[in-house]
Amino acid sequence: MYFRMWKIELVSMLCLIAIQDLMCDEFVADTIITAILAKGYRKEVRPRCPGVTSVDVTLDLALRQIIELNEPKQFLQTNVWLRAFWNDCRLTWNKTATGVDNLVLPASFMWIPDITLYDNSADEGMKAAKEYRVSVTSEGDTRHQIPIVLTSLCTIDTTYFPFDKQSCPLKFGMWAHSALDVNFTNIRDDADLSSYEGHVEWNVVSMNVERNVSYFEGIPYPSLVFDLKLRRKPLFFILNLFFPCILISMVAILGFMLPPDAGEKVNLEVTVLLSLAVFQLIVLEMMPPNSETLPFISVYFASNMVLVGLSCLMTVVVLNVHFKGSQGWPVPQIGKTIVIDGLGRLLCVRLPQKVRKKNPTNEVVQGLRFERRKTVPKPLNNVSAVDTVDADTVHAPETSLLLKHFSRINASLSDMVASLGDRKSDRAMCEEWEFMALVLDRAFLLIYGSLTCLILLIFIIEFQTQ
């Protein structure tokens, strides 16, 4: 029981001492601030120290996160930590007498350099910087740390999309003060990337800083440019854009392998053309409307669309040639010479040899030859000539009728033989047109496949040089 009471009293004493120290620190801070204000401190006026013509303001930047790089609207949104350092000789006190070496004061209490992001595209800009407190030492050394989300302009170059690199400069400077009043410099040659959180689409290559001085009416105005260099991660776009596009282009080759009688050759090519048009629209939504540089991926899609359009034209030509024979058009000799004999042999396309069985009916029909002959039968040994003449006179009408029927049958069979010959000739002509269409189809297949592979090869070589 006695030990508990002693422990409670000890804790109470420690709390009382802490409260007294806090109240003492607040009292000392109030005393220091009152003394500074009594000297006539004005936050609207920059520090003017004896023997110093301008205030040295140094800036450091730590990149925390890339929030968004909007390519159609061409702006970059980043989360950064700005660190500004300068010396205000009016904010000094005796740390030995007060026992306080550092104070954290509101930014509204003191003079703050008007650091501005020149290429700012947001309404707020750097206004949020005044909401964060400032750390001041007894020597007047001031440190202002600002976590802020910046929205800056960034010109996007999509020539090598999605294997592209982007450079987005963040340009800081004094808006009102020149180098004669404020000497704006950088602490180091690059930004702090130790606290950077990775992005799903972009890799940070580097972020170097360069100090530039611009002159307006002979007055120098310094600025710091933090050049953020980014490289895109292309795997997502390879799997979702390039691979489907290449696969669709290869599917168009199947249209040349379909037989014309299937009736789906043109439908397949038109479907492929519409699919490529959809992919083209997807790519256009990702890119800014820029006419100065053409993205190679757009050229690639456009080239494939032209090839597929040509494949539709080739398919129509093949179908027209294939069904030419059914319209009764004879094959021109120049077509036989160039396409069948020349191009067919070059492409190793040969007309299949069909085994035609002989039709015995045709041979019998073709061998029928009817001749009308008048013969008088020879009299028998035991029959007189008068009896023979009388018999011939009796059977003559029946023989004439039978010959007339045989003549009609012969004419009908002759018409059938002629019709069969015409059909055989027409079928041979149709086979020649169909064979010519087959040769043209194979030639167009070779042309389309070669051009597709050539365009893809040029596309790959061009991106490997990037």
Side-chain angles (χ1 to χ4, degrees):
M1 186 70 179
Y2 176 76
F3 178 75
R4 286 184 179 179
M5 293 295 295
W6 177 81
K7 186 175 181 180
I8 293 173
E9 290 179 357
L10 179 61
V11 172
S12 300
M13 291 178 61
L14 292 175
C15 293
L16 182 60
I17 293 173
I19 293 173
Q20 290 178 352
D21 291 340
L22 181 60
M23 294 178 62
C24 182
D25 291 340
E26 291 181 354
F27 175 76
V28 173
D30 291 339
T31 303
I32 294 173
I33 294 173
T34 302
I36 292 174
L37 293 175
K39 296 179 182 180
Y41 182 85
R42 297 185 60 183
K43 64 179 182 180
E44 297 85 4
V45 182
R46 72 171 182 87
R48 296 180 182 273
C49 303
V52 179
T53 57
S54 61
V55 181
D56 291 330
V57 177
T58 57
L59 182 67
D60 188 22
L61 184 145
L63 180 63
R64 177 62 178 166
Q65 183 186 13
I66 297 175
I67 300 176
E68 180 186 9
L69 178 57
N70 194 313
E71 294 162 275
K73 297 183 179 180
Q74 300 196 55
F75 69 80
L76 172 68
Q77 194 172 31
T78 53
N79 183 6
V80 300
W81 296 342
L82 293 178
R83 303 161 184 164
F85 305 90
W86 69 92
N87 184 270
D88 193 340
C89 58
R90 300 173 298 173
L91 298 176
T92 58
W93 64 88
N94 189 348
K95 69 176 181 179
T96 304
T98 58
V100 177
D101 186 33
N102 185 74
L103 289 177
V104 178
L105 304 175
S108 59
F109 173 77
M110 64 187 63
W111 176 85
I112 302 295
D114 57 336
I115 301 175
T116 306
L117 177 63
Y118 286 165
D119 294 329
N120 179 48
S121 62
D123 296 334
E124 293 296 330
M126 300 289 293
K127 294 180 181 179
K130 298 181 180 180
E131 299 178 0
Y132 296 94
R133 293 177 174 266
V134 183
S135 176
V136 184
T137 65
S138 59
E139 300 295 331
D141 294 331
T142 306
R143 181 178 61 185
H144 195 191
Q145 299 188 25
I146 312 165
I148 189 172
V149 175
L150 299 177
T151 305
S152 59
L153 302 178
C154 182
T155 303
I156 306 297
D157 184 10
T158 56
T159 303
Y160 296 97
F161 174 87
F163 304 95
D164 54 331
K165 299 178 182 178
Q166 303 298 335
S167 178
C168 298
L170 303 176
K171 187 176 182 180
F172 296 91
M174 298 296 167
W175 189 255
H177 297 286
S178 65
L180 303 178
D181 299 328
V182 178
N183 184 25
F184 192 47
T185 59
N186 54 301
I187 295 179
R188 52 186 181 180
D189 295 334
D190 56 354
D192 183 8
L193 300 177
S194 59
S195 301
Y196 172 71
E197 295 289 339
H199 194 266
V200 295
E201 185 179 355
W202 297 96
N203 285 325
V204 176
V205 179
S206 63
M207 193 174 185
N208 299 325
V209 57
E210 182 181 358
R211 184 176 185 269
N212 299 323
V213 179
S214 303
Y215 289 87
F216 298 96
E217 297 180 355
I219 301 176
Y221 288 87
S223 62
L224 298 179
V225 180
F226 292 85
D227 190 10
L228 177 60
K229 294 187 178 299
L230 304 173
R231 180 187 290 112
R232 194 190 302 270
K233 299 176 182 179
L235 182 60
F236 173 82
F237 300 97
I238 291 175
L239 294 179
N240 293 278
L241 284 180
F242 284 103
F243 180 72
C245 177
I246 295 173
L247 183 61
I248 290 174
S249 301
M250 295 303 174
V251 168
I253 297 179
L254 299 178
F256 296 98
M257 298 181 180
L258 283 176
D261 294 330
E264 298 294 334
K265 291 175 72 70
V266 177
N267 293 338
L268 179 61
E269 301 297 336
V270 172
T271 303
V272 172
L273 183 61
L274 294 178
S275 301
L276 290 176
V278 171
F279 277 100
Q280 180 76 7
L281 292 177
I282 295 175
V283 173
L284 289 178
E285 291 179 357
M286 299 179 180
M287 298 183 181
N290 188 2
S291 299
E292 296 180 358
T293 58
L294 290 177
F296 281 106
I297 185 172
S298 298
V299 176
Y300 176 70
F301 278 114
S303 301
N304 282 332
M305 291 178 66
V306 171
L307 286 181
V308 175
L310 289 177
S311 68
C312 293
L313 177 62
M314 296 173 183
T315 302
V316 171
V317 172
V318 169
L319 292 177
N320 190 18
V321 173
H322 180 82
F323 294 103
K324 201 77 171 178
S326 60
Q327 300 174 2
W329 292 88
V331 180
Q333 186 62 36
I334 187 173
K336 294 181 180 180
T337 304
I338 297 177
V339 178
I340 297 178
D341 297 336
L343 195 58
R345 292 180 180 178
L346 182 63
L347 298 177
C348 299
V349 181
R350 297 179 180 178
L351 185 65
Q353 298 293 332
K354 297 182 181 179
V355 179
R356 297 186 176 87
K357 296 182 179 180
K358 294 183 178 180
N359 191 350
T361 305
N362 292 339
E363 294 180 355
V364 171
V365 172
Q366 292 177 2
L368 289 178
R369 294 291 183 268
F370 295 98
E371 296 180 357
R372 186 176 181 177
R373 294 176 298 178
K374 292 182 180 181
T375 58
V376 178
K378 294 181 179 181
L380 297 176
N381 295 329
N382 56 353
V383 180
S384 63
V386 176
D387 296 334
T388 303
V389 173
D390 293 339
D392 187 35
T393 304
V394 173
H395 295 289
E398 296 179 0
T399 304
S400 299
L401 182 61
L402 182 62
L403 290 177
K404 183 182 296 185
H405 285 300
F406 272 117
S407 298
R408 292 178 180 176
I409 294 173
N410 187 23
S412 299
L413 291 177
S414 300
D415 294 339
M416 292 175 61
V417 170
S419 178
L420 290 176
D422 294 338
R423 290 182 181 180
K424 186 182 296 184
S425 177
D426 293 341
R427 184 56 193 165
M429 184 174 59
C430 290
E431 289 180 355
E432 288 183 346
W433 281 110
E434 292 173 1
F435 180 69
M436 185 182 296
L438 178 62
V439 173
L440 291 176
D441 209 8
R442 294 298 177 266
F444 292 154
L445 169 63
L446 182 61
I447 294 173
Y448 178 83
S450 302
L451 291 177
T452 301
C453 296
L454 179 62
I455 291 175
L456 181 60
L457 182 62
I458 293 175
F459 181 76
I460 294 175
I461 293 176
E462 188 64 32
F463 278 108
Q464 284 183 347
T465 58
Q466 168 64 9

PDB file of all heavy atoms in Angstrom, residues 27-43:
ATOM      1  N   PHE A  27       6.573  30.282 -22.506  1.00  0.00           N
ATOM      2  CA  PHE A  27       6.840  31.643 -22.017  1.00  0.00           C
ATOM      3  C   PHE A  27       8.097  32.210 -22.672  1.00  0.00           C
ATOM      4  O   PHE A  27       8.123  33.375 -23.091  1.00  0.00           O
ATOM      5  CB  PHE A  27       6.988  31.617 -20.479  1.00  0.00           C
ATOM      6  CG  PHE A  27       7.373  32.934 -19.903  1.00  0.00           C
ATOM      7  CD1 PHE A  27       6.440  33.960 -19.774  1.00  0.00           C
ATOM      8  CD2 PHE A  27       8.693  33.176 -19.486  1.00  0.00           C
ATOM      9  CE1 PHE A  27       6.805  35.204 -19.241  1.00  0.00           C
ATOM     10  CE2 PHE A  27       9.058  34.413 -18.954  1.00  0.00           C
ATOM     11  CZ  PHE A  27       8.115  35.425 -18.832  1.00  0.00           C
ATOM     12  N   VAL A  28       9.146  31.371 -22.765  1.00  0.00           N
ATOM     13  CA  VAL A  28      10.389  31.830 -23.401  1.00  0.00           C
ATOM     14  C   VAL A  28      10.139  32.145 -24.872  1.00  0.00           C
ATOM     15  O   VAL A  28      10.628  33.150 -25.402  1.00  0.00           O
ATOM     16  CB  VAL A  28      11.483  30.757 -23.240  1.00  0.00           C
ATOM     17  CG1 VAL A  28      12.719  31.138 -24.045  1.00  0.00           C
ATOM     18  CG2 VAL A  28      11.842  30.591 -21.773  1.00  0.00           C
ATOM     19  N   ALA A  29       9.353  31.278 -25.593  1.00  0.00           N
ATOM     20  CA  ALA A  29       9.064  31.530 -27.000  1.00  0.00           C
ATOM     21  C   ALA A  29       8.296  32.838 -27.165  1.00  0.00           C
ATOM     22  O   ALA A  29       8.573  33.619 -28.083  1.00  0.00           O
ATOM     23  CB  ALA A  29       8.271  30.355 -27.581  1.00  0.00           C
ATOM     24  N   ASP A  30       7.318  33.054 -26.267  1.00  0.00           N
ATOM     25  CA  ASP A  30       6.573  34.315 -26.340  1.00  0.00           C
ATOM     26  C   ASP A  30       7.482  35.501 -26.100  1.00  0.00           C
ATOM     27  O   ASP A  30       7.358  36.555 -26.735  1.00  0.00           O
ATOM     28  CB  ASP A  30       5.428  34.302 -25.321  1.00  0.00           C
ATOM     29  CG  ASP A  30       4.343  33.313 -25.700  1.00  0.00           C
ATOM     30  OD1 ASP A  30       4.279  32.959 -26.899  1.00  0.00           O
ATOM     31  OD2 ASP A  30       3.576  32.890 -24.815  1.00  0.00           O
ATOM     32  N   THR A  31       8.422  35.330 -25.185  1.00  0.00           N
ATOM     33  CA  THR A  31       9.361  36.418 -24.897  1.00  0.00           C
ATOM     34  C   THR A  31      10.240  36.713 -26.102  1.00  0.00           C
ATOM     35  O   THR A  31      10.483  37.876 -26.453  1.00  0.00           O
ATOM     36  CB  THR A  31      10.228  36.039 -23.686  1.00  0.00           C
ATOM     37  OG1 THR A  31       9.389  35.753 -22.557  1.00  0.00           O
ATOM     38  CG2 THR A  31      11.175  37.172 -23.332  1.00  0.00           C
ATOM     39  N   ILE A  32      10.723  35.642 -26.761  1.00  0.00           N
ATOM     40  CA  ILE A  32      11.583  35.840 -27.930  1.00  0.00           C
ATOM     41  C   ILE A  32      10.810  36.530 -29.050  1.00  0.00           C
ATOM     42  O   ILE A  32      11.301  37.466 -29.690  1.00  0.00           O
ATOM     43  CB  ILE A  32      12.155  34.480 -28.392  1.00  0.00           C
ATOM     44  CG1 ILE A  32      13.098  33.903 -27.331  1.00  0.00           C
ATOM     45  CG2 ILE A  32      12.879  34.625 -29.731  1.00  0.00           C
ATOM     46  CD1 ILE A  32      13.567  32.491 -27.625  1.00  0.00           C
ATOM     47  N   ILE A  33       9.583  36.057 -29.320  1.00  0.00           N
ATOM     48  CA  ILE A  33       8.779  36.640 -30.392  1.00  0.00           C
ATOM     49  C   ILE A  33       8.457  38.092 -30.094  1.00  0.00           C
ATOM     50  O   ILE A  33       8.509  38.962 -30.971  1.00  0.00           O
ATOM     51  CB  ILE A  33       7.490  35.818 -30.587  1.00  0.00           C
ATOM     52  CG1 ILE A  33       7.840  34.413 -31.104  1.00  0.00           C
ATOM     53  CG2 ILE A  33       6.556  36.519 -31.577  1.00  0.00           C
ATOM     54  CD1 ILE A  33       6.655  33.487 -31.166  1.00  0.00           C
ATOM     55  N   THR A  34       8.158  38.385 -28.829  1.00  0.00           N
ATOM     56  CA  THR A  34       7.842  39.761 -28.447  1.00  0.00           C
ATOM     57  C   THR A  34       9.052  40.668 -28.654  1.00  0.00           C
ATOM     58  O   THR A  34       8.934  41.805 -29.133  1.00  0.00           O
ATOM     59  CB  THR A  34       7.383  39.798 -26.984  1.00  0.00           C
ATOM     60  OG1 THR A  34       6.245  38.944 -26.821  1.00  0.00           O
ATOM     61  CG2 THR A  34       7.023  41.210 -26.570  1.00  0.00           C
ATOM     62  N   ALA A  35      10.233  40.118 -28.293  1.00  0.00           N
ATOM     63  CA  ALA A  35      11.453  40.908 -28.464  1.00  0.00           C
ATOM     64  C   ALA A  35      11.742  41.164 -29.933  1.00  0.00           C
ATOM     65  O   ALA A  35      12.175  42.261 -30.325  1.00  0.00           O
ATOM     66  CB  ALA A  35      12.627  40.186 -27.802  1.00  0.00           C
ATOM     67  N   ILE A  36      11.492  40.153 -30.782  1.00  0.00           N
ATOM     68  CA  ILE A  36      11.743  40.330 -32.221  1.00  0.00           C
ATOM     69  C   ILE A  36      10.774  41.351 -32.803  1.00  0.00           C
ATOM     70  O   ILE A  36      11.160  42.221 -33.605  1.00  0.00           O
ATOM     71  CB  ILE A  36      11.622  38.974 -32.939  1.00  0.00           C
ATOM     72  CG1 ILE A  36      12.773  38.040 -32.526  1.00  0.00           C
ATOM     73  CG2 ILE A  36      11.636  39.167 -34.459  1.00  0.00           C
ATOM     74  CD1 ILE A  36      12.639  36.637 -33.067  1.00  0.00           C
ATOM     75  N   LEU A  37       9.514  41.257 -32.428  1.00  0.00           N
ATOM     76  CA  LEU A  37       8.547  42.222 -32.933  1.00  0.00           C
ATOM     77  C   LEU A  37       8.834  43.626 -32.428  1.00  0.00           C
ATOM     78  O   LEU A  37       8.553  44.613 -33.121  1.00  0.00           O
ATOM     79  CB  LEU A  37       7.126  41.793 -32.531  1.00  0.00           C
ATOM     80  CG  LEU A  37       6.601  40.500 -33.185  1.00  0.00           C
ATOM     81  CD1 LEU A  37       5.238  40.138 -32.613  1.00  0.00           C
ATOM     82  CD2 LEU A  37       6.526  40.663 -34.693  1.00  0.00           C
ATOM     83  N   ALA A  38       9.419  43.714 -31.233  1.00  0.00           N
ATOM     84  CA  ALA A  38       9.738  45.041 -30.686  1.00  0.00           C
ATOM     85  C   ALA A  38      10.837  45.728 -31.479  1.00  0.00           C
ATOM     86  O   ALA A  38      10.931  46.979 -31.464  1.00  0.00           O
ATOM     87  CB  ALA A  38      10.138  44.913 -29.216  1.00  0.00           C
ATOM     88  N   LYS A  39      11.644  44.930 -32.173  1.00  0.00           N
ATOM     89  CA  LYS A  39      12.711  45.524 -32.994  1.00  0.00           C
ATOM     90  C   LYS A  39      12.171  46.063 -34.318  1.00  0.00           C
ATOM     91  O   LYS A  39      12.942  46.589 -35.130  1.00  0.00           O
ATOM     92  CB  LYS A  39      13.791  44.480 -33.272  1.00  0.00           C
ATOM     93  CG  LYS A  39      14.519  44.007 -32.021  1.00  0.00           C
ATOM     94  CD  LYS A  39      15.541  42.951 -32.397  1.00  0.00           C
ATOM     95  CE  LYS A  39      16.259  42.396 -31.171  1.00  0.00           C
ATOM     96  NZ  LYS A  39      17.254  41.355 -31.528  1.00  0.00           N
ATOM     97  N   GLY A  40      10.892  45.917 -34.555  1.00  0.00           N
ATOM     98  CA  GLY A  40      10.311  46.427 -35.798  1.00  0.00           C
ATOM     99  C   GLY A  40      10.342  45.427 -36.939  1.00  0.00           C
ATOM    100  O   GLY A  40      10.483  45.822 -38.105  1.00  0.00           O
ATOM    101  N   TYR A  41      10.214  44.122 -36.628  1.00  0.00           N
ATOM    102  CA  TYR A  41      10.221  43.083 -37.662  1.00  0.00           C
ATOM    103  C   TYR A  41       8.954  43.189 -38.513  1.00  0.00           C
ATOM    104  O   TYR A  41       7.838  43.278 -37.995  1.00  0.00           O
ATOM    105  CB  TYR A  41      10.300  41.695 -37.019  1.00  0.00           C
ATOM    106  CG  TYR A  41      10.365  40.572 -38.035  1.00  0.00           C
ATOM    107  CD1 TYR A  41      11.585  40.189 -38.575  1.00  0.00           C
ATOM    108  CD2 TYR A  41       9.211  39.918 -38.449  1.00  0.00           C
ATOM    109  CE1 TYR A  41      11.641  39.169 -39.512  1.00  0.00           C
ATOM    110  CE2 TYR A  41       9.259  38.901 -39.388  1.00  0.00           C
ATOM    111  CZ  TYR A  41      10.475  38.530 -39.910  1.00  0.00           C
ATOM    112  OH  TYR A  41      10.537  37.515 -40.836  1.00  0.00           O
ATOM    113  N   ARG A  42       9.150  43.168 -39.839  1.00  0.00           N
ATOM    114  CA  ARG A  42       8.027  43.207 -40.775  1.00  0.00           C
ATOM    115  C   ARG A  42       8.182  42.054 -41.768  1.00  0.00           C
ATOM    116  O   ARG A  42       9.202  41.934 -42.458  1.00  0.00           O
ATOM    117  CB  ARG A  42       7.985  44.536 -41.515  1.00  0.00           C
ATOM    118  CG  ARG A  42       7.761  45.748 -40.604  1.00  0.00           C
ATOM    119  CD  ARG A  42       7.613  47.004 -41.424  1.00  0.00           C
ATOM    120  NE  ARG A  42       6.468  46.901 -42.342  1.00  0.00           N
ATOM    121  CZ  ARG A  42       6.154  47.861 -43.217  1.00  0.00           C
ATOM    122  NH1 ARG A  42       6.911  48.958 -43.303  1.00  0.00           N
ATOM    123  NH2 ARG A  42       5.110  47.713 -44.002  1.00  0.00           N
ATOM    124  N   LYS A  43       7.151  41.249 -41.812  1.00  0.00           N
ATOM    125  CA  LYS A  43       7.213  40.076 -42.679  1.00  0.00           C
ATOM    126  C   LYS A  43       7.055  40.429 -44.158  1.00  0.00           C
ATOM    127  O   LYS A  43       7.362  39.621 -45.020  1.00  0.00           O
ATOM    128  CB  LYS A  43       6.125  39.078 -42.283  1.00  0.00           C
ATOM    129  CG  LYS A  43       4.709  39.608 -42.470  1.00  0.00           C
ATOM    130  CD  LYS A  43       3.681  38.577 -42.100  1.00  0.00           C
ATOM    131  CE  LYS A  43       2.267  39.098 -42.335  1.00  0.00           C
ATOM    132  NZ  LYS A  43       1.239  38.089 -41.982  1.00  0.00           N
TER     133      LYS A  43
END
